[in-house]
Amino acid sequence: GFTYARNFLEGDLSFGITGKYLYGMENVSTDNRQLDIKTDENTFDITANTDFTLNSSGVLSDDPLNSSGVLSDDPFADLDQDAARYLFMRNNHGFAFDIGASYNINEHFTVAASGLDIGAMYWANDPVNQEISNANFTYQGVDLSVLLNQNDSSDVFQNLIDTLSATFNPVEDSASYNYMLPSRMYVSGFYNFKEKHQVGAHFYGEFYKGHFEPGVAIQYTGKFTDIFSVSATYSYFNRDFTNLGV
């Protein structure tokens, strides 16, 4: 990675950026567009709906260490080579950066903003992707007359299993895929008063798979002596108002 930082306007404005190269060995991620089970309040029928994709790299492949796909007669013969390939030579790469700035408006007010982990991973080593697209099934129970008239009652349940397997049968491919990193952003403002006391307000947000989760916080910091200081924070995050720290 690399880092660039610089001060402007006689030190009142600070700016920095860090670029990061990413390397991955294993990954499992899902794109869960729909996955629910509902029970009808009148008939008690059970309906399952699903629409999701499971992406993996190296985890579900037949031989994640040996890219040739051929198992050796001696599994320990190429242990050093396989370990080096696993640790350093997988074709899973990514890039991300952190960026931030702060500005001293005057001797009392300071504002700051930053973004962290903005980037993505590209997974191309032994990818296995499984997708179930817009599948739904309604279970209405077992008809007792059919069950009693069957020579073998297990046939009824086997038919149910076969239907479920056909309905929720994933389509598999080996295409490489991208994974966006969970990114975070911060916007803050600080007010300094009486030299050793500060109050601040913060806005926080996290971006993950197309969703944005916001949060806010207020804080106070006071330095009463050279060895004694107090800091208190109250925040709202993840729909929870009961976050208090001292």
Side-chain angles (χ1 to χ4, degrees):
F2 69 90
T3 299
Y4 171 80
R6 187 173 180 181
N7 295 323
F8 303 90
L9 303 177
E10 299 180 349
D12 287 333
L13 175 63
S14 300
F15 171 81
I17 184 171
T18 297
K20 299 176 286 187
Y21 165 73
L22 307 175
Y23 172 77
M25 292 177 283
E26 309 279 351
N27 175 255
V28 175
S29 62
T30 60
D31 181 9
N32 183 12
R33 296 174 292 275
Q34 182 182 20
L35 183 61
D36 57 60
I37 299 176
K38 298 179 180 179
T39 302
D40 189 282
E41 60 182 8
N42 297 316
T43 65
F44 300 104
D45 292 348
I46 300 174
T47 300
N49 299 283
T50 184
D51 183 16
F52 79 97
T53 300
L54 172 68
N55 298 314
S56 68
S57 175
V59 178
L60 300 180
S61 59
D62 294 332
D63 181 19
L65 283 181
N66 192 340
S67 61
S68 67
V70 178
L71 291 174
S72 171
D73 293 334
D74 181 2
F76 300 101
D78 300 321
L79 184 60
D80 292 340
Q81 180 180 355
D82 289 338
R85 184 186 301 116
Y86 179 76
L87 293 174
F88 306 110
M89 300 174 62
R90 296 209 139 192
N91 192 24
N92 305 316
H93 310 283
F95 183 79
F97 66 92
D98 304 333
I99 187 170
S102 65
Y103 177 61
N104 298 320
I105 299 174
N106 54 43
E107 61 179 337
H108 296 293
F109 289 98
T110 301
V111 293
S114 62
L116 305 178
D117 295 329
I118 303 171
M121 277 291 302
Y122 179 75
W123 297 93
N125 196 98
D126 295 326
V128 176
N129 310 305
Q130 297 181 339
E131 180 178 14
I132 299 178
S133 180
N134 295 317
N136 63 82
F137 175 78
T138 299
Y139 177 65
Q140 298 176 315
V142 178
D143 190 330
L144 288 178
S145 63
V146 175
L147 181 63
L148 294 174
N149 290 327
Q150 288 280 355
N151 294 327
D152 187 352
S153 61
S154 63
D155 292 343
V156 175
F157 298 101
Q158 186 60 51
N159 291 337
L160 174 62
I161 294 173
D162 293 342
T163 301
L164 288 172
S165 299
T167 302
F168 299 105
N169 183 35
V171 177
E172 185 173 303
D173 65 56
S174 58
S176 57
Y177 61 95
N178 296 327
Y179 175 78
M180 300 300 297
L181 299 178
S183 302
R184 293 162 288 158
M185 60 163 288
Y186 299 86
V187 178
S188 303
F190 304 93
Y191 175 70
N192 299 287
F193 61 98
K194 294 184 178 180
E195 296 183 358
K196 297 183 180 181
H197 300 271
Q198 181 191 79
V199 292
H202 312 273
F203 176 78
Y204 165 86
E206 182 174 6
F207 299 88
Y208 182 62
K209 292 187 176 181
H211 299 282
F212 178 68
E213 188 69 43
V216 293
I218 55 175
Q219 56 92 190
Y220 162 78
T221 302
K223 186 175 182 181
F224 296 93
T225 69
D226 290 339
I227 61 172
F228 179 71
S229 63
V230 173
S231 179
T233 303
Y234 175 76
S235 63
Y236 163 79
F237 179 68
N238 197 22
R239 303 176 185 178
D240 186 1
F241 288 91
T242 60
N243 301 301
L244 178 64
V246 177

